[in-house]
Amino acid sequence: MIYAVASGKGGTGKTTMSSSLAALWDTPITLVDLDVEEPNLHLFLKPELNDIQKAYIEVPEADEDKCTKCRACSDICQFKAITIMADTLLTFPEMCHGCGGCFEVCPEGALTPGKRELGEICRGTADGNDFIMGRLRIGEAMSPPLMRQIREEFPALKAKGDVLIDAPPGVSCPAMAAVMDADCIVLVTEPTPFGFHDFKLAWEAFKPMGKPMGAIINRAGIGDNTVQNFCADNDIPIWAEIPYSREVAEAYSKGDVIAKALKPLEPTFTALRENMRAAAKKAKEVSHA
């Protein structure tokens, strides 16, 4: 199964939950940090990275001598990464999404594949489990292509056991790309007005995918019961509540995995793990019925 830990906004404790789940998972699992703009799961799991490779995106390079200015390439490009301006063929590699459509429609073969660096993909092991994370190049704005290269490995990873994804926050393209392969989504939130607002956005964004979803309420005890009431009204199970406490904050500030540092929390995360498994298994059985 593939499990994604997501949140509507940053700072809710998504990576804190991911690292604790990773530490208590009792079957083979691959840990994937898809928050490629700001990966930080490795700060808690402290993996040994033994394979770091550059990642590239394929972009068009133009041969002006072959180009007949037919505009077939600029017409098909939805991202304005290639155009004809004053009889000059121009390409904008930073805007290219690497779909390859321009290569396919060019009747003269005037475009050839070049490449632009996106960032790097790091592989290693953490406490005996496989670990993968993407790290976007500084100044690079296009994260989904780098995420896609990691996601292409999911079928092979899934064959070895479960996959746990630490997704980027929000509800834009990177967040959607991170959860689209998941068999189960865990939404982390906090009981504050900002937390509820973005939790609701995330639920509305992910709901059309039809995947089982459950909530974790972090810093429970602050704010009010708006999140709980919303979950009750919309049949969203609350799989765990992590109390607001100084001990949790101190463990986080030290880079500790809270489920390991604070033993009273271990049953909470064990129950969370079982709830996630049950939800994913039930959804799988229904889809096969």
Side-chain angles (χ1 to χ4, degrees), residues 11 30 34 49 81 88 94 116 150 163 166 168 214 230 239 282:
T30 299
L34 275 182
L49 300 177
T88 300
E94 293 79 11
R116 177 168 63 80
I150 298 174
V163 177
D166 188 11
F230 180 81
W239 286 337
K282 182 179 179 181

Side-chain angles (χ1 to χ4, degrees), residues 2-285:
I2 298 177
Y3 302 91
V5 181
S7 64
K9 79 179 188 69
T12 56
K14 174 175 55 59
T15 302
T16 303
M17 305 302 131
S18 299
S19 60
S20 287
L21 282 168
L24 295 180
W25 211 263
D26 57 354
T27 56
I29 189 169
T30 299
L31 314 166
V32 182
D33 194 342
L34 275 182
D35 189 359
V36 300
E37 293 184 34
E38 195 174 1
N40 57 0
L41 187 59
H42 64 292
L43 299 178
F44 296 90
L45 299 183
K46 302 173 179 59
E48 182 178 346
L49 300 177
N50 49 33
D51 182 11
I52 301 176
Q53 296 185 12
K54 297 288 186 185
Y56 299 90
I57 185 173
E58 192 174 77
V59 297
E61 291 184 349
D63 184 339
E64 285 278 354
D65 294 334
K66 292 183 178 179
C67 180
T68 59
K69 315 299 186 294
C70 71
R71 295 182 179 273
C73 58
S74 61
D75 288 344
I76 198 174
C77 184
Q78 301 179 37
F79 308 104
K80 310 301 180 188
I82 187 166
T83 189
I84 306 291
M85 188 174 295
D87 290 334
T88 300
L89 179 64
L90 298 175
T91 61
F92 302 95
E94 293 79 11
M95 299 171 67
C96 179
H97 283 54
C99 71
C102 54
F103 302 124
E104 297 296 326
V105 301
C106 179
E108 308 300 334
L111 300 173
T112 55
K115 64 181 183 181
R116 177 168 63 80
E117 182 182 336
L118 283 173
E120 58 187 18
I121 298 175
C122 310
R123 299 177 181 80
T125 57
D127 196 22
N129 295 311
D130 288 345
F131 179 93
I132 302 177
M133 72 174 182
R135 194 151 44 195
L136 209 61
R137 176 180 62 85
I138 294 175
E140 174 60 53
M142 200 100 56
S143 59
L146 178 58
M147 297 168 65
R148 183 171 61 236
Q149 293 183 30
I150 298 174
R151 288 174 43 228
E152 287 172 353
E153 301 187 26
F154 282 0
L157 298 175
K158 196 174 177 180
K160 296 191 292 185
D162 293 322
V163 177
L164 180 66
I165 300 169
D166 188 11
V171 294
S172 59
C173 291
M176 301 299 286
V179 305
M180 63 190 307
D181 299 306
D183 298 296
C184 174
I185 301 172
V186 185
L187 286 177
V188 184
T189 186
E190 58 186 18
T192 64
F194 286 130
F196 171 66
H197 178 269
D198 293 328
F199 172 77
K200 186 179 176 185
L201 286 180
W203 178 75
E204 291 173 344
F206 299 152
K207 184 183 177 185
M209 295 182 177
K211 301 176 184 293
M213 278 194 287
I216 302 175
I217 300 178
N218 192 24
R219 304 185 184 101
I222 62 173
D224 54 29
N225 292 323
T226 304
V227 174
Q228 287 91 335
N229 293 338
F230 180 81
C231 289
D233 291 342
N234 292 280
D235 296 324
I236 306 169
I238 297 174
W239 286 337
E241 294 193 34
I242 310 302
Y244 177 68
S245 75
R246 181 183 179 91
E247 289 77 14
V248 171
E250 287 181 348
Y252 175 86
S253 68
K254 295 175 184 175
D256 292 338
V257 176
I258 64 168
K260 289 291 187 181
L262 304 172
K263 288 297 181 184
L265 287 179
E266 189 168 321
T268 301
F269 283 100
T270 301
L272 169 62
R273 181 192 67 204
E274 296 308 312
N275 283 327
M276 293 164 59
R277 280 177 171 160
K281 181 180 178 183
K282 182 179 179 181
K284 186 73 72 177
E285 290 173 348

